Amino acid sequence: MDSNICEVYEDEIQSLEEEIKLLAGKYEDSQQESTFFSDEEILMSIKSFQRELRGESEGYESLSDLKAQLESLETDLSFLMKFTGIQFTSHSKKTLEKTRNRTVRKHRLSGNCRSLSFQLEFQLLEMQNKAGVSAVITDLSIIMEPGGDSDLSKFVSSTEERGSLLTFFRSLSSYAEWYEHRRCTFLHFKNKYPDTVTLPEGLLGDYILLRNPKASGFELMIVWKIHINEEGRTTPVLDLLTKVPEQVLEQKMATIENAPTHFRSMLLLCGIEAAIENLVKVFGLER
Amino acid sequence: MEEGKVYASDVFAHLEMLEMRDHEAALKEEEELLQEEKLARLKARVKELRLQRDELRAKLDLQEKRQLEKEGPASDPAQFSPRAVLQWKIKSLQAMLQVFYLTGIGAKLTRRGVCFCISTAYEGTYLGSYYLDLLTKSEVKIYRHSVPAFIPLKQIAEQYLQTDIRRFLSVLSDQLNAYAGRRYQADQLQEHFSDQIKGTLQRNSLYNLLVFNYNVSSKSKTFPFNVRLLYGDLCCSLPTEVIVSCRLDAPASLTETAAAHSDLFRRMPLHKAFRSFSSTG
């Protein structure tokens, strides 16, 4: 009889200990997630910690340990941001559910990848099972700036549907690289040939116009689109469109008809900059 | 016993019995005392823990209330000692590094270079991660790594490691993610559709060649289909070549089904393709 009562007490003790562990964890998480300290406040804390110690050698060890840990984490983080081109400007999370085997946290993240900015929200479900810890993303929502491009928005929607956070970032990296490359190339040509090259949609648009100041009405449009498919594969697609007035067309029919094909071959042979350079030079010499 | 006669042995036996009874009684008393003490201890511990638990619950409730009121920070910053502030910052940086892991890459600077960690995922499910310990003192060298042998690490390194580390990691990540994705599809197939699969799934270690048999039912009869999937593009988790075949004695209508399935396998991940023709019948 007594042993039964003992068992009952022991069971309750075990369940209370588990519950306490869980509650303490929740409290710590909540403390962590609902506070924010700026960099100045961190520095002030280090100073006041140093003042508090003042001679207690034991304390100094733990302070220098903490400082070392802080420094190492900051160096790693800044390396990663420089290496990947992804800068996170803000990150907050909130623990929605926490049981012995299951944790659900909601994350809010914003930042930029080179010149493209994003804002995301997602839920991360972490489960403890025999094989270890598994992580699954749900409820992914992404806002991109600039977001006008239809290819990009289709990609973003498909990513949101599938919860493919990893694919999103990997594709974003390569898309942003191309985006930046295109912007720099357009800028380069605008500066080098200010009379011939115009950017009707600005540096962030996807085409440039070549206008011959002498032959009015004769225009060449170099279109540079950055395609991104549903799996996130990024490919640049360039093409040449011609706008030719009647008189010029009669004279130079063959050359003009073949221009787009020649342009595409040049792209394959000597790359984007050389192909555009060639086109601009030839165009500028036209009478 | 004979009247009047008392035997010494009887007396001894009697005394022994009394001693034993006494001893047993003493033991029993001791045991009972110990039990009582144990019970008392357990009871006290339960009380202590209950108190602790209730205090924690109250703390959490207060926290929640403050969060709902939204007046100022939910946690009183004054509660944080300088040490606690530093620990807050450390945890916050660790959380940021965990986010980077979710984007596919992690890194830790070492004395001799960098140790990269490539994480893989299939859609929203994170799969394994692989590390590469690089030396960057003079030329870049791979010191050690956990990339499986069937991934052509050496070729990728020869092409990109010295000139463009980012590209090297990106190409490697493409291959690792595609491999992890193919493996995940095969695992999901075996986990959720094992009743339809006949026999075992034959595959190579790179999971880019899969051959298996599965049952297709038509007019209450089941027919075995054989499918051979070849994933020619190692950076892709969809097959480049699909051959679905049925037995020669199978009805003609099934050739249409085979073609339809073949198309599905080409366009969709394995387990989703199975789900789609399981539901349409």
Side-chain angles (χ1 to χ4, degrees):
Chain A
M1 274 283 272
D2 272 349
S3 63
N4 276 352
I5 305 181
C6 271
E7 236 181 84
V8 167
Y9 276 147
E10 279 166 350
D11 283 343
E12 191 177 346
I13 288 176
Q14 199 188 15
S15 98
L16 278 169
E17 282 176 340
E18 270 176 29
E19 194 184 346
I20 287 173
K21 200 167 143 197
L22 214 66
L23 288 171
K26 271 195 194 166
Y27 182 71
E28 268 172 39
D29 280 346
S30 194
Q31 285 271 71
Q32 179 74 23
E33 292 158 13
S34 56
T35 324
F36 181 79
F37 294 105
S38 65
D39 288 338
E40 297 89 53
E41 287 172 299
I42 305 288
L43 282 173
M44 273 170 38
S45 291
I46 296 180
K47 290 208 182 96
S48 82
F49 197 172
Q50 277 169 330
R51 264 183 280 126
E52 263 179 36
L53 295 176
R54 249 186 295 170
E56 289 175 45
S57 59
E58 218 182 271
Y60 264 115
E61 253 176 53
S62 75
L63 172 60
S64 58
D65 277 346
L66 285 175
K67 274 172 79 176
Q69 209 183 349
L70 208 57
E71 237 179 75
S72 143
L73 288 169
E74 276 174 341
T75 332
D76 287 342
L77 207 51
S78 105
F79 169 77
L80 263 176
M81 292 206 195
K82 236 172 78 180
F83 188 81
T84 59
I86 299 174
Q87 303 262 350
F88 291 120
T89 48
S90 85
H91 172 227
S92 74
K93 55 184 177 146
K94 183 158 167 54
T95 305
L96 298 179
E97 190 188 312
K98 190 174 177 135
T99 59
R100 196 150 57 121
N101 296 339
R102 213 180 123 101
T103 309
V104 180
R105 290 204 175 98
K106 180 168 177 165
H107 291 252
R108 269 208 189 101
L109 197 59
S110 61
N112 52 63
C113 184
R114 290 168 219 279
S115 50
L116 299 171
S117 3
F118 55 82
Q119 259 180 35
L120 346 141
E121 257 180 43
F122 58 90
Q123 286 192 17
L124 183 65
L125 162 62
E126 284 169 289
M127 281 193 293
Q128 184 91 34
N129 51 33
K130 289 168 272 154
V133 184
S134 71
V136 181
I137 303 264
T138 53
D139 290 322
L140 177 59
S141 129
I142 302 173
I143 301 176
M144 291 264 351
E145 189 80 49
D149 192 293
S150 69
D151 254 10
L152 192 59
S153 354
K154 253 197 266 173
F155 169 67
V156 167
S157 307
S158 129
T159 305
E160 281 176 332
E161 237 176 76
R162 302 178 189 170
S164 315
L165 188 67
L166 192 110
T167 313
F168 171 74
F169 275 105
R170 298 193 57 239
S171 312
L172 185 68
S173 248
S174 77
Y175 186 89
E177 259 186 69
W178 275 113
Y179 193 84
E180 186 64 18
H181 183 46
R182 180 177 68 184
R183 192 187 69 90
C184 287
T185 313
F186 282 2
L187 183 64
H188 163 78
F189 282 107
K190 173 105 185 82
N191 289 338
K192 193 167 175 190
Y193 304 102
D195 299 325
T196 326
V197 175
T198 57
L199 299 163
E201 274 185 13
L203 283 172
L204 303 181
D206 56 10
Y207 68 93
I208 58 176
L209 274 183
L210 303 183
R211 270 200 201 107
N212 189 316
K214 293 160 219 151
S216 62
F218 190 6
E219 281 175 7
L220 288 183
M221 182 195 270
I222 302 175
V223 182
W224 184 348
K225 287 201 182 287
I226 305 171
H227 277 188
I228 179 166
N229 73 358
E230 279 191 8
E231 267 96 58
R233 288 258 185 101
T234 322
T235 29
V237 176
L238 286 96
D239 211 346
L240 180 64
L241 300 171
T242 57
K243 182 168 146 200
V244 194
E246 290 272 351
Q247 326 92 283
V248 185
L249 189 58
E250 282 160 24
Q251 289 169 21
K252 308 252 175 215
M253 181 85 128
T255 338
I256 288 163
E257 264 183 10
N258 293 330
T261 326
H262 279 150
F263 180 59
R264 273 178 242 132
S265 327
M266 283 235 79
L267 283 172
L268 290 171
L269 282 172
C270 32
I272 298 174
E273 287 86 37
I276 300 181
E277 176 90 36
N278 192 278
L279 201 59
V280 177
K281 279 212 187 106
V282 165
F283 189 67
L285 295 171
E286 283 298 311
R287 279 168 280 110
Chain B
M1 232 174 22
E2 273 189 38
E3 208 178 297
K5 271 207 188 162
V6 176
Y7 289 97
S9 55
D10 286 337
V11 172
F12 267 129
H14 194 70
L15 278 174
E16 243 181 53
M17 189 203 68
L18 285 174
E19 222 183 293
M20 247 178 56
R21 225 198 290 171
D22 216 21
H23 186 64
E24 276 172 18
L27 276 179
K28 201 163 172 215
E29 222 181 284
E30 218 183 295
E31 220 184 278
E32 278 176 4
L33 212 70
L34 283 174
Q35 261 301 70
E36 262 178 51
E37 282 178 4
K38 185 175 174 190
L39 225 71
R41 261 186 294 125
L42 288 177
K43 212 166 151 188
R45 179 87 177 129
V46 167
K47 199 166 163 197
E48 185 189 346
L49 287 177
R50 278 190 192 156
L51 199 66
Q52 227 186 331
R53 191 265 317 265
D54 293 340
E55 274 177 11
L56 273 173
R57 275 196 185 155
K59 254 171 133 180
L60 273 169
D61 284 341
L62 186 65
Q63 222 181 31
E64 246 172 82
K65 234 197 278 179
R66 290 181 79 149
Q67 275 179 23
L68 289 171
E69 280 167 16
K70 286 191 180 161
E71 256 184 52
S75 300
D76 184 5
Q79 271 180 25
F80 281 80
S81 66
R83 174 199 289 273
V85 173
L86 292 183
Q87 285 171 333
W88 175 89
K89 182 69 179 172
I90 287 173
K91 275 201 201 153
S92 162
L93 290 171
Q94 286 168 334
M96 196 82 269
L97 285 168
Q98 202 215 12
V99 172
F100 263 109
Y101 174 86
L102 295 177
T103 70
I105 189 167
K108 175 126 196 69
L109 295 171
T110 62
R111 264 180 302 125
R112 292 166 301 200
V114 197
C115 184
F116 284 105
C117 175
I118 296 177
S119 40
T120 58
Y122 182 79
E123 294 190 346
T125 308
Y126 283 83
L127 307 166
S129 55
Y130 305 90
Y131 76 86
L132 279 128
D133 205 346
L134 299 179
L135 305 173
T136 55
K137 279 294 157 69
S138 46
E139 54 164 13
V140 186
K141 275 208 275 261
I142 301 177
Y143 177 53
R144 12 164 222 203
H145 67 90
S146 67
V147 176
F150 42 79
I151 301 279
L153 179 62
K154 204 158 156 234
Q155 284 95 297
I156 305 174
E158 268 163 25
Q159 241 186 316
Y160 303 108
L161 190 59
Q162 301 309 323
T163 48
D164 191 346
I165 296 187
R166 244 185 248 132
R167 188 95 188 272
F168 164 73
L169 286 172
S170 170
V171 172
L172 188 58
S173 179
D174 279 345
Q175 290 220 13
L176 286 170
N177 267 282
Y179 156 71
R182 296 191 296 267
R183 195 170 91 177
Y184 180 77
Q185 288 175 60
D187 288 345
Q188 287 289 296
L189 192 66
Q190 290 181 300
E191 198 182 307
H192 297 286
F193 299 97
S194 53
D195 51 342
Q196 284 177 50
I197 312 270
K198 262 181 69 176
T200 52
L201 211 85
Q202 288 177 309
R203 46 137 193 112
N204 61 355
S205 29
L206 192 48
Y207 277 87
N208 72 327
L209 179 59
L210 256 76
V211 177
F212 61 93
N213 298 308
Y214 65 103
N215 288 326
V216 177
S217 36
S218 158
K219 297 192 179 85
S220 69
K221 279 217 270 179
T222 57
F223 295 93
F225 270 21
N226 175 277
V227 62
R228 182 177 183 276
L229 301 159
L230 179 70
Y231 299 78
D233 182 356
L234 288 183
C235 290
C236 200
S237 58
L238 283 177
T240 48
E241 211 181 282
V242 178
I243 303 173
V244 180
S245 49
C246 41
R247 278 206 314 244
L248 291 167
D249 61 339
S253 61
L254 281 188
T255 35
E256 263 182 53
T257 320
H261 284 194
S262 174
D263 182 58
L264 277 177
F265 287 138
R266 227 178 286 263
R267 287 188 293 118
M268 287 186 177
L270 264 181
H271 53 297
K272 291 195 181 165
F274 260 76
R275 210 176 294 156
S276 106
F277 56 72
S278 284
S279 58
T280 53

